[in-house]
Amino acid sequence: MAETRETIFVVDDDPSVRDAISNLLESVGMRAKVFASTEAFWKAPRPDGPSCLVLDVRLPGASGLEFQEMLIKKKVSIPIIFVTAHGDVPMTSRAMKAGAIEFLMKPFQKDELLMAVRHGLDRDRIRREQEAELSALKVKIGQLSDREREVMDLVVTGLINKEIGAKLGLSEVTIKIYRSRVMQKMEAASLADLVRMADRLNPRA
Amino acid sequence: MLLAGGNADDNSSPLRRVMADRVSTGSVILKFLRRLGVSLLSVGLAFALTMLLQPLFPYPFLFLFFGAVMASAWFGGTAGGLLAVLLSTIIVDYFFVPPVHSFSISTTAEAYLFAFVACALAASWISSAKKKSEVALQEALDNLEVRVSERSAELFKTQTELAHLSQVLSMGELTASIAHEINQPLTAVVTHGHACLEWLSADPPNLDKTRQTIERIILDGTRAGATISRVRALFKKEAPVKDWLDVNEVVHELTIFLRDEAIRRGILVQTDLVPGLPKIKADRVQLQQVLLNLIMNGMDAMDDVANHRKELVISARVEDANLVVRVVDSGKGLDGQTAEKIFTPFFTTKPHGIGLGLSLSRSIVEAHEGRLWASPRASGGTSFQFTLPIHPRDSDG
Ligand SMILES: Nc1ncnc2c1ncn2[C@@H]1O[C@H](COP(=O)(O)OP(=O)(O)OP(=O)(O)O)[C@@H](O)[C@H]1O
Ligand SMILES: [Mg+2]
């Protein structure tokens, strides 16, 4: 894979605090990008690669919590670590329910921040891997012919060749050939493997 | 006295004390003797060993002298190293360079002896330079510790004083805002402190980054101190000190100070100022107090108003021979009965109010030959305004 460096985005309207956070991250060899507002962060290009967002709760304009809601609405998934000077319980639980990694009280200790950041990056990395896997699967299934697709849909429901043949009005031998082609094109090692792929592609089924 | 002392720039004294300890005269002589001893001992040892080992080798075996030079430079500094070089050169010349047992040198051996001296000097220099950099690093670490602990102590003091301050003055409304203002630089200091330790424990230690980080720590600590003195100036009660003031500037400073409080309460604070207003002769702190009282009252009046745009506008205009300052809110307004009493001392409708804000403000404005009054707004809310007479400025001052 190409070199995809991890990036930690820091949004805080106080220049001293955001510089300090980026200095700390830099000192342990991480790459940080700082922004004075959520708008600036939103407008800036975000490099492809695992990332997470260290977000101040109290910001001019939209608060950190409102920005979290907006990201969710726009289907932008980036793990968020909130920092705040005065975290009350309802605020914290609201943020955590919406999927925040951590809610840190200023001033926080080094390990609190670094652990949360590593956790966030890991979560983002896993999500990216799963997405990459899914899109690879989509490419593969796009290469199947209509017939092959039909056969695959029936195979994964657990029907045997004979039953599929009867359903589609084809001989058992023909189904066997289609079936092996499906296995080949989907690069499935076994029937169980193929079923797993079908689940990933169509989770509700 | 509350918030006394704490000059932010006076951070050098403990460092100077450390330096002074290092250079007392008695220790200088002792140190010189120690260096001499180290050089004599190590060169003597090298000489004895060389004499023992020499019969085993067909050529002059001089390597041990380099070891002696390095050891002398390490423990005795540059002077110790040079002394060892000198001693070794004499010994090598006399005992090992032909003609042996004489200080004269044959022309062929000249280059050999020269090379020996050069190598010995290099060894001495490397060794003492290495030692020096190690000492410097240790010193940097010590200084860092002193500075960080000083700053932390200062900040801690500041915080306790602040807690006290808010109790004494019962400015509950402002505590959150002030605490936030202090907590920000404090957070930066703690975070930079952690970063500093990381930069120092890197291999090799990143001294540039360490220095930069310490500079930031000093700036942030100083900033916290400045916030405190601003707060102190805001609440200090002293005889009026009248100065030529720019009202725009005073209003602007206050809005910056109140920004966080306004955000917390969901209020939009706007200023409507015209540039180039004439300066007026007034007491800055007292003028801030009047404005602060009116602004806090306006904010309070908007707290219970739901489904409403919460907006506070502060304006300043020249009208006739006066400067008129208005603080206009979109709050719950004043009913006729209340309006009559609001300037009476200790009249309050607030659970934690003292009821002194308006009466104090009115007496301050009157001491400045102005007037302070309230008027209802047609669109809801209240407008508080006060005048300050514009005096012609005869001379600059
Ligand atoms: N902008 C306003 N809108 C509506 N009512 C106001 C406004 N300003 C003042 N009042 C009324 O006037 C009363 C007296 O105000 P004042 O500032 O003197 O005291 P306070 O705000 O109650 O207490 P504090 O001494 O802490 O200021 C308030 O309790 C409130 O009822
Ligand atoms: Mg008041």
Side-chain angles (χ1 to χ4, degrees):
Chain A
M1 220 195 269
E3 207 217 353
T4 47
R5 269 195 72 187
E6 297 166 340
T7 312
I8 296 121
F9 299 102
V10 180
V11 179
D12 197 309
D13 65 323
D14 190 306
S16 309
V17 174
R18 60 171 187 264
D19 284 358
I21 295 177
S22 107
N23 186 21
L24 177 58
L25 292 172
E26 204 191 316
S27 74
V28 294
M30 292 176 161
R31 179 169 63 167
K33 281 195 186 252
V34 299
F35 300 93
S37 67
T38 48
E39 291 89 63
F41 165 72
W42 183 245
K43 280 187 201 134
R46 291 184 289 281
D48 195 31
S51 55
C52 68
L53 174 63
V54 178
L55 183 60
D56 190 16
V57 173
R58 182 199 280 204
L59 290 167
S63 80
L65 293 174
E66 281 159 5
F67 187 66
Q68 181 190 30
E69 274 161 22
M70 193 207 92
L71 287 178
I72 292 169
K73 242 179 243 156
K74 300 227 164 168
K75 296 203 166 31
V76 176
S77 42
I78 179 166
I80 299 178
I81 295 133
F82 280 105
V83 285
T84 180
H86 54 100
D88 48 63
V89 175
M91 189 198 273
T92 314
S93 68
R94 188 178 136 200
M96 297 305 285
K97 261 185 212 141
I101 296 282
E102 191 57 273
F103 211 95
L104 299 177
M105 295 288 284
K106 289 180 187 176
F108 42 80
Q109 297 304 309
K110 180 188 86 181
D111 292 336
E112 295 177 298
L113 178 72
L114 294 186
M115 258 161 66
V117 162
R118 295 213 172 94
H119 183 181
L121 290 174
D122 284 346
R123 193 191 274 187
D124 199 42
R125 192 176 305 109
I126 291 168
R127 182 188 59 80
R128 278 164 185 278
E129 278 166 13
Q130 285 174 346
E131 268 174 18
E133 207 181 310
L134 190 65
S135 60
L137 275 181
K138 280 187 179 148
V139 169
K140 284 185 206 160
I141 205 158
Q143 286 164 352
L144 298 185
S145 69
D146 289 350
R147 245 299 128 74
E148 286 163 354
R149 185 67 205 267
E150 259 176 334
V151 171
M152 174 170 164
D153 287 348
L154 292 171
V155 166
V156 297
T157 59
L159 295 184
I160 56 168
N161 292 350
K162 202 169 172 182
E163 293 163 332
I164 297 171
K167 276 209 167 185
L168 298 180
L170 294 167
S171 74
E172 197 184 331
V173 183
T174 319
I175 297 299
K176 211 172 165 187
I177 293 166
Y178 276 127
R179 184 179 181 146
S180 76
R181 247 190 258 159
V182 166
M183 297 294 281
Q184 214 173 0
K185 284 191 180 171
M186 293 302 290
E187 292 167 37
S190 63
L191 177 60
D193 205 13
L194 192 70
V195 171
R196 224 173 358 251
M197 288 178 188
D199 277 350
R200 289 290 310 275
L201 283 163
N202 199 359
R204 270 161 301 164
Chain B
M1 176 64 217
L2 252 179
L3 293 169
N7 183 353
D9 297 323
D10 188 27
N11 57 4
S12 56
S13 47
L15 297 183
R16 255 188 231 135
R17 235 176 294 127
V18 172
M19 307 275 275
D21 284 345
R22 292 235 162 107
V23 252
S24 76
T25 34
S27 71
V28 168
I29 297 169
L30 231 141
K31 216 181 216 172
F32 181 75
L33 287 177
R34 196 155 15 110
R35 285 179 181 178
L36 194 80
V38 168
S39 305
L40 279 172
L41 203 78
S42 48
V43 174
L45 199 71
F47 179 43
L49 278 171
T50 306
M51 287 309 265
L52 269 174
L53 292 169
Q54 186 60 66
L56 301 174
F57 298 95
Y59 36 77
F61 183 79
L62 304 177
F63 301 102
L64 293 173
F65 286 102
F66 295 134
V69 165
M70 288 184 95
S72 307
W74 184 266
F75 294 109
T78 313
L82 289 178
L83 189 66
V85 171
L86 186 73
L87 288 172
S88 321
T89 308
I90 292 168
I91 293 173
V92 167
D93 182 3
Y94 191 79
F95 288 102
F96 300 106
V97 172
V100 174
H101 298 298
S102 132
F103 281 113
S104 61
I105 307 162
S106 69
T107 35
T108 43
E110 231 169 56
Y112 182 78
L113 186 68
F114 179 71
F116 173 82
V117 172
C119 288
L121 281 172
S124 159
W125 180 73
I126 291 169
S127 179
S128 68
K130 181 89 180 55
K131 178 69 184 270
K132 253 185 224 153
S133 71
E134 219 159 275
V135 169
L137 183 60
Q138 188 55 47
E139 230 160 50
L141 265 166
D142 291 348
N143 288 355
L144 172 67
E145 232 163 292
V146 172
R147 284 197 193 191
V148 167
S149 64
E150 267 176 12
R151 286 290 144 188
S152 309
E154 208 168 282
L155 279 171
F156 183 72
K157 202 172 117 220
T158 294
Q159 271 203 325
T160 1
E161 280 170 347
L162 198 69
H164 188 195
L165 183 75
S166 64
Q167 263 171 21
V168 169
L169 297 169
S170 70
M171 297 300 283
E173 303 141 314
L174 280 177
T175 347
S177 180
I178 297 168
H180 182 71
E181 285 293 311
I182 304 300
N183 205 34
Q184 292 292 97
L186 189 68
T187 301
V189 167
V190 172
T191 311
H192 276 310
H194 282 299
C196 222
L197 291 177
E198 290 294 328
W199 290 125
L200 274 178
S201 51
D203 189 24
N206 193 331
L207 292 183
D208 276 348
K209 285 283 186 188
T210 305
R211 191 171 303 114
Q212 280 170 24
T213 307
I214 295 173
E215 278 162 9
R216 299 278 185 79
I217 291 177
I218 292 169
L219 275 180
D220 290 329
T222 312
R223 177 183 144 203
T227 305
I228 297 304
S229 33
R230 221 165 55 209
V231 172
R232 182 169 38 168
L234 214 51
F235 300 124
K236 192 161 54 181
K237 285 192 179 66
E238 274 178 14
V241 189
K242 290 192 183 174
D243 246 326
W244 288 105
L245 291 185
D246 181 351
V247 171
N248 285 347
E249 201 182 289
V250 177
V251 170
H252 184 67
E253 274 174 15
L254 266 177
T255 52
I256 292 176
F257 179 68
L258 286 164
R259 200 185 122 258
D260 279 311
E261 179 71 9
I263 291 176
R264 191 175 69 77
R265 295 162 75 158
I267 294 168
L268 186 70
V269 175
Q270 286 191 308
T271 53
D272 173 15
L273 304 168
V274 282
L277 285 180
K279 293 199 171 181
I280 46 144
K281 201 153 171 95
D283 184 311
R284 173 182 288 269
V285 176
Q286 294 191 344
L287 187 59
Q288 283 172 337
Q289 264 177 344
V290 172
L291 275 165
L292 188 66
N293 280 326
L294 298 182
I295 294 170
M296 295 312 295
N297 280 350
M299 288 187 173
D300 290 343
M302 289 188 284
D303 263 350
D304 348 300
V305 186
N307 317 322
H308 205 289
R309 201 175 143 81
K310 296 181 181 180
E311 198 177 37
L312 191 91
V313 184
I314 308 158
S315 66
R317 289 283 184 284
V318 177
E319 288 172 19
D320 302 324
N322 289 315
L323 197 70
V324 183
V325 182
R326 290 193 176 82
V327 178
V328 181
D329 64 66
S330 55
K332 62 177 184 234
L334 280 171
D335 59 60
Q337 253 191 339
T338 317
E340 279 173 30
K341 298 183 216 147
I342 55 171
F343 291 100
T344 333
F346 302 108
F347 171 81
T348 181
T349 57
K350 301 169 193 173
H352 301 291
I354 304 172
L356 276 180
L358 285 178
S359 42
L360 257 171
S361 299
R362 179 171 262 181
S363 72
I364 289 175
V365 170
E366 283 172 357
H368 284 82
E369 299 155 61
R371 293 193 307 122
L372 164 66
W373 71 100
S375 37
R377 289 174 71 209
S379 56
T382 319
S383 165
F384 277 83
Q385 48 233 295
F386 62 90
T387 61
L388 292 167
I390 299 167
H391 295 291
R393 283 175 80 170
D394 354 304
S395 63
D396 253 352

